[in-house]
Amino acid sequence: MALGFLDRSRTVAPPGWSRWLIPPAALSVHLSIGQAYAWSVFKPALESSLDLSGTASALPFQLGIVMLGLSAAFGGTLVERNGPRWAMTVSLLCFCSGFLLASLGAAVEQYWLVVFGYGFVGGIGLGIGYISPVSTLIKWFPDRPGMATGIAIMGFGGGALIASPWSAQMLESFGSDNSGVASAFLVHGLVYAVFMSLGVLLVRVPAEGWQPPGGKKPQEQQASKPLVTTANVSARNAVRTPQFWFLWVVLCMNVTAGIGILEKAAPMIGDFFADTPTPVSASAAAGFVAMLSLANMGGRFVWSSTSDVIGRKNMYRCYLGVGALMYLGIVLLGDSSKPLFIACALVIISFYGGGFATVPAYLKDLFGTYEVGAIHGRLLTAWSLAGVLGPLIVNWVADSQEAAGRSGPGLYGLALSIMIGLLVVGFIANELIRPVNSKFHEPAAATAAGPGSGEERKEATGR
Amino acid sequence: MTTGENSTPAAPATADGPPAALFAFAWLWVGVPMAYGLYELILKAVQLFTGG
């Protein structure tokens, strides 16, 4: 399908190529598409210049996240088959042309074009870009897959940190009317196209038979960690295993619990300490949100790297078990101590980020490297559901508690208790994960033929 | 992150690998924007301790 420069065969690393060039390639894509989380910077300008409601101005972001999940789930096999350079190119074209379309939409005051461009077209770029470097990083770092995917997925968290002040400065320079927004979108599209091109040019897949220097061979890893397989499972078969669905529940519960606190962080810390001698001001609450962003980003790298040492299952025991205890700490003691509240929230959010970053390595352990990117794409549907569930639970419960006459920490007690329950469900699901039954393993010949071949083979034979 | 930790394909490597300048360029390309984002974030985070 992909020919010439973009073809997988053209991206095989020459002898001597360093694997340490792959993380910056991945980061150039993830730091760009992570801009999605800074969409809120454009909301006030769009609302005033195009006379939109808050709900309407959120539409491009919401559609973008829906398209992220859908394109990652349905495009994963194509990404595996055509290779990372093809995937990064598709991501670049979609993400950046999404900005250009949005720019045109803002310029001619056609908001539907902003929604279609940024949300639909750009959203495809988000999904394909998110999974594009995952399997390549895992293949280059079989000895440290958690660290490798942690770097890339940390970039997705870092993207908003860069875009947020940068976009705000741009709106300040160009103005907040529709032509100013159009100019800002245009510059975003062009700059991100240049920035992401590094990934397209730099990414390489390891040559057949390549081994990491001084790293353990997969057989040695399997001997020390029972969940680490040397076999391979196709994406089509992976979704038929209980392991996939247990991990789906684990990710969904961990993300739901994290989003719950992330969504309401600023009002929550204000409400918790409103009736104390040291209430939290609006600027301090903004500082708290910034601290959470740091924890989210740092957790992606630190905890995912830690999982290479202690194992994926143990790491998720921490995310879900210790995370539940942190929530309990906030429920029982949160309003008595500001440092305790902040510390618990930081740990919870670092686990939220860590959960995202560790899951590709967990998938690699269970299903092998054969189509791990495609399997990861399918698993990200858990994120889509969690993105709806988390804010829904916290906001609905807080509203109902307010209607019942409660205030301060009382607004959140029930919602936080629900989060503890969700984390316990995730903890149990993680405990149920066992090695994948060998009947799902691909024959060696199919995996040698390359990703996607297993699916084609089954379709051809009707299995 | 060292240039010494190069890939070791099944066949003996004959090339020297990518030049060190490429490493510096690639990591600066992503590192500088990240440092900018982190700097801006830390400025905001400080408000938690100074903002009352």
Side-chain angles (χ1 to χ4, degrees):
Chain A
M1 188 168 185
L3 298 170
F5 174 71
L6 301 182
D7 194 80
R8 171 180 276 274
S9 62
R10 294 282 296 271
T11 59
V12 175
W17 189 262
S18 170
R19 60 179 178 165
W20 286 102
L21 284 171
I22 309 305
L27 274 171
S28 73
V29 172
H30 271 237
L31 284 172
S32 301
I33 61 174
Q35 178 281 336
Y37 277 136
W39 172 255
S40 58
V41 173
F42 295 113
K43 275 170 61 83
L46 280 170
E47 285 165 21
S48 61
S49 63
L50 298 178
D51 193 25
L52 301 171
S53 67
T55 308
S57 68
L59 270 177
F61 170 74
Q62 286 170 332
L63 181 60
I65 296 299
V66 169
M67 290 309 297
L68 185 158
L70 290 176
S71 56
F74 293 106
T77 307
L78 276 177
V79 170
E80 289 291 355
R81 191 180 300 165
N82 295 328
R85 181 174 287 165
W86 176 88
M88 287 180 179
T89 304
V90 170
S91 174
L92 183 159
L93 291 174
C94 290
F95 184 65
C96 298
S97 58
F99 264 117
L100 301 186
L101 284 171
S103 171
L104 182 64
V108 299
E109 299 188 34
Q110 292 293 317
Y111 186 58
W112 68 269
L113 197 51
V114 178
V115 177
F116 174 76
Y118 186 89
F120 186 84
V121 180
I124 295 171
L126 295 182
I128 300 296
Y130 192 89
I131 58 173
S132 63
V134 167
S135 71
T136 304
L137 282 165
I138 286 175
K139 283 165 189 162
W140 275 112
F141 292 88
D143 48 338
R144 281 177 277 182
M147 181 213 68
T149 56
I151 291 174
I153 292 170
M154 176 185 71
F156 193 75
L161 306 187
I162 299 166
S164 188
W166 182 55
S167 305
Q169 275 183 354
M170 214 176 294
L171 286 176
E172 214 173 288
S173 307
F174 293 137
S176 295
D177 58 350
N178 68 306
S179 65
V181 174
S183 303
F185 282 156
L186 180 68
V187 173
H188 276 71
L190 297 176
V191 170
Y192 279 127
V194 174
F195 191 72
M196 291 170 84
S197 63
L198 178 90
V200 173
L201 296 171
L202 209 56
V203 74
R204 297 285 188 282
V205 294
E208 190 67 34
W210 177 86
Q211 291 291 340
K216 281 184 182 175
K217 293 193 168 78
Q219 290 82 356
E220 292 166 359
Q221 285 185 330
Q222 192 187 31
S224 59
K225 292 172 186 165
L227 272 181
V228 180
T229 185
T230 54
N232 286 295
V233 180
S234 68
R236 173 185 267 240
N237 272 339
V239 295
R240 294 173 178 156
T241 65
Q243 287 81 0
F244 176 88
W245 293 106
F246 286 140
L247 200 49
W248 193 96
V249 171
V250 164
L251 183 67
C252 188
M253 298 299 111
N254 192 49
V255 175
T256 302
I259 285 182
I261 203 166
L262 212 50
E263 161 82 1
K264 295 285 277 186
M268 194 184 281
I269 192 170
D271 288 336
F272 258 80
F273 299 99
D275 300 327
T276 65
T278 54
V280 177
S281 69
S283 65
F288 173 62
V289 173
M291 290 280 287
L292 291 183
S293 299
L294 268 179
N296 181 6
M297 195 174 146
R300 289 169 191 242
F301 178 69
V302 172
W303 298 130
S304 193
S305 301
T306 307
S307 76
D308 288 335
V309 180
I310 68 171
R312 251 57 78 175
K313 194 167 187 171
N314 284 334
M315 200 65 249
Y316 275 90
R317 282 177 175 138
C318 286
Y319 295 155
L320 300 156
V322 179
L325 291 176
M326 292 293 122
Y327 264 118
L328 192 63
I330 291 179
V331 172
L332 298 177
L333 306 162
D335 59 338
S336 64
S337 164
K338 210 187 288 181
L340 181 74
F341 177 93
I342 293 167
C344 288
L346 290 177
V347 172
I348 288 168
I349 297 304
S350 77
F351 285 169
Y352 162 81
F356 273 121
T358 312
V359 89
Y362 209 159
L363 290 171
K364 176 254 175 197
D365 288 355
L366 290 167
F367 301 110
T369 58
Y370 175 48
E371 288 189 341
V372 66
I375 301 169
H376 184 218
R378 284 157 171 80
L379 195 81
L380 290 180
T381 50
W383 181 5
S384 303
L385 180 65
V388 177
L389 268 185
L392 196 72
I393 292 170
V394 171
N395 288 310
W396 179 75
V397 172
D399 289 348
S400 65
Q401 297 294 300
E402 197 169 9
R406 292 196 170 83
S407 63
L411 289 174
Y412 303 99
L414 180 59
L416 297 177
S417 302
I418 292 172
M419 296 304 171
I420 294 171
L422 294 177
L423 287 171
V424 170
V425 170
F427 189 91
I428 294 167
N430 185 47
E431 290 305 310
L432 293 173
I433 293 175
R434 301 276 183 276
V436 174
N437 191 311
S438 59
K439 72 178 180 184
F440 294 108
H441 293 168
E442 289 294 302
T447 55
S453 56
E455 194 156 307
E456 286 160 4
R457 179 177 54 79
K458 283 186 193 68
E459 277 163 6
T461 57
R463 263 177 66 190
Chain B
M1 191 182 75
T2 62
T3 54
E5 197 178 342
N6 291 341
S7 49
T8 52
T14 50
D16 292 332
L22 184 59
F23 277 92
F25 176 77
W27 280 98
L28 282 173
W29 185 266
V30 293
V32 170
M34 270 185 87
Y36 162 73
L38 276 174
Y39 172 73
E40 292 284 341
L41 185 72
I42 288 165
L43 288 184
K44 270 190 207 158
V46 167
Q47 293 174 356
L48 175 62
F49 307 103
T50 59

